[in-house]
């Protein structure tokens, strides 16, 4: 029986080079629509014979945006498109390969557990109907997809305004899983920590900043080929309407804390990067960052502050990044939160690696950390 490999669905990305030999199924990752970036893949295989072994080969892996990051990486697979697990993978300096023993006639493979647009729509509905959020404003992507800005809280004067945005980089699907964890906790009876947080702060949540890129199976850019996390100095309604919209909203409501949720291809840990290279970086911001990191480390083993990006030298920050731009403009706690495409090596889970579920748990725990320091945020 011949194999049928497809990716013509939400966040699908693969090119079939030659699927005639089950022991060497030659595939390639497709670049973003208007950009050379690529690394995200997500495809379905039909026609598998249960019990038979298959060998998949992504032949252009070395040329991916973070080609070195394939070392130590294991692909994710699913037999029902719902629950995902890691499959042992190897990178030979050119191709990423993985072997799979079929248990069903079909299987899906991806770079990370995908977050679908359908699930996003359900998440917005749950936020509005069960989590007490309001749809504060709706922006639109280049291709016209809604970008929801949710608010939990009444906007009363004196409330801290905590902004959490996700998936500027569309292939970093862990970011919307992270927001789902936040919204899930808001649907539960507020425990003491949540009561403390919500008494003093409103949450401004953007579950997906880049719906076009996510839908098209992009790694890094929007439908115009723009990296949204390099657009915060010159966003505009034509090329980067996603950032332009959120910046307008931030100006309207103000910002007292900012977290930008991302995924990192290479570093096998959860970590944060901050705005220490900003010209206006202050000791107060440094203290808030340290307090957030130590507080979150005390809450979960799925966070650490030893591994991460090199710190920017004073005055050398790239101000086009969201974290740096918002930190400078609002003189507040401003962080990029990175979750791994691999695993969090301080607390590894060989079966799933880092996953949607662990991203959700981290979202819940970030609310707990913010609750412990909410009075200090302004
Ligand atoms: C990163 S943020 C880069 C931050 N770099 C340092 N050294 N602080 C990006 O946009 O490249 C976020 C990401 O893509 O995950
Ligand atoms: Zn990113």
């Amino acid at each position: 029986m011949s194999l049928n490999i497809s990716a013509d669905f939400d966040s699908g990305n693969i090119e079939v080079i030659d699927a005639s030999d089950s022991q060497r199924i030659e595939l390639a990752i497709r670049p973003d629509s208007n950009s050379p970036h690529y690394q995200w893949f997500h495809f379905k295989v039909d026609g598998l014979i249960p019990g038979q072994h298959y060998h998949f080969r992504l032949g252009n892996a070395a040329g991916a945006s973070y080609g070195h990051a394939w070392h130590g990486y294991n692909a994710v697979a699913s037999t029902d498109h719902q629950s995902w697990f890691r499959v042992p993978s190897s990178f030979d300096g050119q191709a990423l390969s993985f072997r799979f023993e079929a248990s069903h006639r079909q299987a899906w493979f991806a770079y990370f557990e995908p977050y679908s647009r359908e699930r996003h729509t359900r998440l917005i509905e749950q936020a509005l109907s069960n989590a007490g959020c309001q749809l504060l404003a709706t922006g639109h992507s280049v291709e016209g997809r809604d970008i929801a800005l949710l608010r939990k809280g009444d906007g009363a004067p004196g409330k801290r305004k905590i902004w959490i945005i996700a998936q500027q980089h569309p292939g970093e699907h862990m970011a919307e899983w992270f927001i789902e964890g936040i919204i899930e906790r808001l649907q539960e009876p507020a425990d003491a920590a949540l009561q403390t947080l919500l008494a003093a702060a409103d949450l401004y949540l953007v579950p997906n900043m880049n719906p076009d890129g996510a839908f098209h199976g992009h790694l890094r850019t929007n439908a115009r080929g723009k990296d949204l996390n390099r657009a915060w100095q010159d966003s505009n309604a034509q090329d980067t309407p996603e950032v332009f919209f959120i910046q307008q909203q931030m100006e309207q409501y103000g910002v007292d804390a900012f977290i930008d949720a991302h995924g990192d291809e290479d570093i096998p840990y959860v970590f944060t990067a901050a705005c220490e290279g900003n010209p206006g970086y202050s000791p107060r911001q440094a203290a808030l960052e340290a307090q957030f990191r130590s507080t979150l480390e005390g809450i979960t083993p799925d966070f650490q502050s030893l591994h991460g990006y090199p710190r920017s030298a004073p005055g050398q920050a790239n101000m086009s990044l969201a974290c740096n731009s918002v930190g400078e403009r609002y003189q507040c706690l401003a962080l990029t939160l990175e979750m791994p495409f691999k695993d969090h090596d301080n607390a590894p889970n060989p079966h799933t690696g880092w996953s949607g579920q662990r991203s959700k748990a981290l979202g819940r725990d970030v609310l707990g950390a913010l609750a412990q320091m909410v009075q200090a945020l302004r």
Side-chain angles (χ1 to χ4, degrees), residues 169 172 220 262-263:
H169 293 140
E172 297 166 13
R220 192 126 179 119
H262 284 256

Side-chain angles (χ1 to χ4, degrees), residues 155-323:
K159 298 282 275 298
R160 275 83 171 164
K161 284 94 60 185
I162 299 174
W163 288 72
I164 305 176
I165 72 172
Q167 218 163 337
Q168 288 198 86
H169 293 140
E172 297 166 13
H173 287 246
M174 56 285 278
E176 186 153 14
W177 285 109
F178 172 80
I179 298 281
E180 180 176 303
I182 288 172
I183 292 172
E184 189 174 77
R185 185 168 181 181
L186 295 177
Q187 296 177 62
E188 296 159 3
D191 53 32
L194 203 54
Q195 286 174 22
T196 299
L197 177 64
L198 297 177
D202 289 343
L203 304 179
Y204 293 73
L205 306 174
V206 185
N208 190 323
M209 282 286 294
N210 195 335
D212 298 348
F215 188 81
H216 291 303
H218 290 181
L219 173 72
R220 192 126 179 119
T221 61
N222 73 352
R224 289 257 198 279
K226 299 295 183 185
D227 179 340
L228 296 186
N229 204 31
R230 298 297 185 274
W232 286 70
Q233 289 302 309
D234 61 356
S235 68
N236 63 69
Q238 287 68 42
D239 296 328
T240 51
E242 302 89 355
V243 173
F244 190 69
F245 161 66
I246 292 300
Q247 287 182 308
Q248 287 177 316
Q249 300 300 315
M250 286 178 163
E251 284 300 302
Q252 179 171 351
Y253 294 101
V255 183
D256 295 320
F258 176 67
I259 295 176
D260 180 17
H262 284 256
D264 183 85
E265 291 78 6
D266 191 28
I267 299 174
Y269 294 99
V270 178
F271 62 94
T272 55
C275 55
E276 68 278 348
N278 283 4
Y281 186 61
S282 69
R284 178 178 164 276
Q285 287 175 300
L288 286 171
E289 290 157 22
Q291 185 178 1
F292 177 85
R293 288 173 173 143
S294 61
T295 302
L296 189 55
E297 279 178 312
I299 292 174
T300 174
D302 272 355
F303 179 76
Q304 58 77 53
S305 52
L306 180 64
H307 304 276
Y309 296 141
R311 289 174 62 83
S312 299
Q316 297 305 309
N318 178 341
M319 299 311 291
S320 70
L321 274 69
C323 169

